[in-house]
Amino acid sequence: MSERSAGTSDTAGRPGRTARAGAADTATEVFVTHRNLLFTVAYEMLGSAADAEDVLQETWLRWAAVDRATVREERAYLVRIVTRQALDRMRALGRRKESYVGPWLPEPLLTAPDVAEDVELADSISMAMLLVMETLAPVERAVFVLREVFDLAYEEIAEAVGRSPAAVRQLAYRARAHVAARRPRGTVSADQTRAALQAFQRAVETGELQRLLDVLAPDVVALSDGGGVRHALLRPVVGADKVARLLAGGWWRGARRSVEPVQINGGPGLLVRVDGEVDGVVAVRVENGYVTGAYHVRNPEKLSRVARETAVAR
């Protein structure tokens, strides 16, 4: 029998190639199905959309090479890969943060309005929560994200982080206690949040000191990140009077600016344009009808994700 009739050549039929192409198509379909989830896991671990995308690329390369006959549960397997890649990236990112010029804030995401409806997801990607998670050790952060946000079983997390289930339980307990002691207080209704953001926007636009004092919580904190490229605060500003005077003086003094309400990281925010160009975003934390946090990101390298919505999922 000839190679042609046996179907092993590169001529019509090509069963070997057809099978490989079919497997590749299926691998792609599975990856695309879970892509938003995988991005969210990586982003919550890293606080950087750019690094999360790099992790997804590495995850895809490893997933494409996997013998899927050995995979029991595709979602868990992919989460395991992305977690391991994100842990590796966290170590490099930690070194970069040590040499970062000025205060570091997470890379902001423009998110769809329906993200806010998933309260747990919105809280987990908020600027305030990401900053709290920055205080965790890398493995603790991974365990916290996978357990508290994505509700993975301890056994699944153990495989992802290379620890025993018993050790993961201890890490989860420690991380939960650490976050609970530092996390922002409870969220408020959508109506309260909207009203507070509108009042904050009007106050920022007018620069009226009293209007600002009326909407700021007594212990409000303002942070800004210019990456050494744009002017930013060198340290946090705390207290309603100091923050009000900062805003009344104008973070954008002397420029033609516009302020547009948007949803940043699942919560209220303002997109700031100067002379028609995006100059930064301010993610706003609202509690009990008052603004308790204002996180101002001006570093141009961190603003690519505010031009279009980023899909997140859990």
Side-chain angles (χ1 to χ4, degrees), residues 47-96:
S48 164
D51 286 289
E53 290 290 357
D54 288 344
V55 164
L56 256 64
Q57 180 65 26
E58 290 296 324
T59 299
W60 161 248
L61 293 174
R62 282 160 175 73
W63 171 246
V66 166
D67 178 2
R68 292 182 56 249
T70 65
V71 177
R72 295 192 309 272
E73 210 283 309
E74 293 163 337
R75 178 180 182 271
Y77 196 96
L78 282 165
V79 168
R80 186 191 317 167
I81 298 175
V82 83
T83 299
R84 290 175 178 174
Q85 295 304 309
L87 280 170
D88 288 343
R89 184 58 62 101
M90 285 174 77
R91 298 181 181 99
L93 192 59
R95 291 191 291 272
R96 291 211 317 252

Side-chain angles (χ1 to χ4, degrees), residues 119-139:
V119 176
E120 290 185 6
L121 176 61
D123 182 62
S124 70
I125 63 171
S126 69
M127 284 283 188
M129 178 56 77
L130 291 174
L131 285 172
V132 171
M133 287 196 286
E134 280 291 312
T135 63
L136 293 170
V139 176

Side-chain angles (χ1 to χ4, degrees), residues 14-275:
R14 287 186 286 225
R17 287 191 177 187
T18 301
R20 287 195 296 273
D25 289 345
T26 303
T28 301
E29 182 180 348
V30 171
F31 186 83
V32 169
T33 297
H34 297 294
R35 190 187 190 286
N36 293 344
L37 162 73
L38 299 175
F39 172 84
T40 308
V41 171
Y43 176 73
E44 291 198 16
M45 289 179 61
L46 299 167
S48 164
D51 286 289
E53 290 290 357
D54 288 344
V55 164
L56 256 64
Q57 180 65 26
E58 290 296 324
T59 299
W60 161 248
L61 293 174
R62 282 160 175 73
W63 171 246
V66 166
D67 178 2
R68 292 182 56 249
T70 65
V71 177
R72 295 192 309 272
E73 210 283 309
E74 293 163 337
R75 178 180 182 271
Y77 196 96
L78 282 165
V79 168
R80 186 191 317 167
I81 298 175
V82 83
T83 299
R84 290 175 178 174
Q85 295 304 309
L87 280 170
D88 288 343
R89 184 58 62 101
M90 285 174 77
R91 298 181 181 99
L93 192 59
R95 291 191 291 272
R96 291 211 317 252
K97 288 175 184 175
E98 289 176 2
S99 58
Y100 193 79
V101 179
W104 183 92
L105 287 175
E107 185 176 350
L109 307 178
L110 183 69
T111 50
D114 61 356
V115 172
E117 297 173 8
D118 186 337
V119 176
E120 290 185 6
L121 176 61
D123 182 62
S124 70
I125 63 171
S126 69
M127 284 283 188
M129 178 56 77
L130 291 174
L131 285 172
V132 171
M133 287 196 286
E134 280 291 312
T135 63
L136 293 170
V139 176
E140 285 181 332
R141 184 167 181 170
V143 169
F144 180 84
V145 167
L146 296 179
R147 180 62 183 173
E148 298 301 312
V149 182
F150 298 95
D151 198 29
L152 265 64
Y154 289 114
E155 291 73 18
E156 290 180 284
I157 300 172
E159 290 187 20
V161 301
R163 303 291 179 90
S164 69
V168 166
R169 286 179 182 273
Q170 287 297 317
L171 286 166
Y173 175 81
R174 194 159 62 235
R176 194 181 304 118
H178 182 96
V179 171
R182 293 163 177 80
R183 74 186 305 160
R185 297 181 290 274
T187 57
V188 295
S189 70
D191 288 342
Q192 283 182 307
T193 299
R194 193 177 304 110
L197 179 63
Q198 289 172 350
F200 182 71
Q201 180 182 349
R202 287 194 299 270
V204 168
E205 288 174 330
T206 63
E208 293 181 16
L209 189 60
Q210 189 55 53
R211 271 193 172 184
L212 286 162
L213 289 170
D214 289 342
V215 74
L216 298 176
D219 56 351
V220 62
V221 178
L223 299 167
S224 65
D225 176 346
V229 180
R230 297 283 183 83
H231 177 70
L233 302 172
L234 296 178
R235 59 187 62 84
V237 175
V238 182
D241 186 66
K242 291 180 180 179
V243 173
R245 293 183 185 282
L246 169 71
L247 294 172
W251 269 338
W252 315 280
R253 183 194 298 276
R256 291 177 297 180
R257 68 182 183 189
S258 64
V259 183
E260 173 191 349
V262 291
Q263 186 174 95
I264 297 295
N265 287 56
L270 300 175
L271 178 63
V272 182
R273 288 188 173 89
V274 172
D275 295 326

Side-chain angles (χ1 to χ4, degrees), residues 3 238 271 282 304 308:
E3 287 186 346
V238 182
L271 178 63
V282 182
S304 63
R308 67 185 189 281

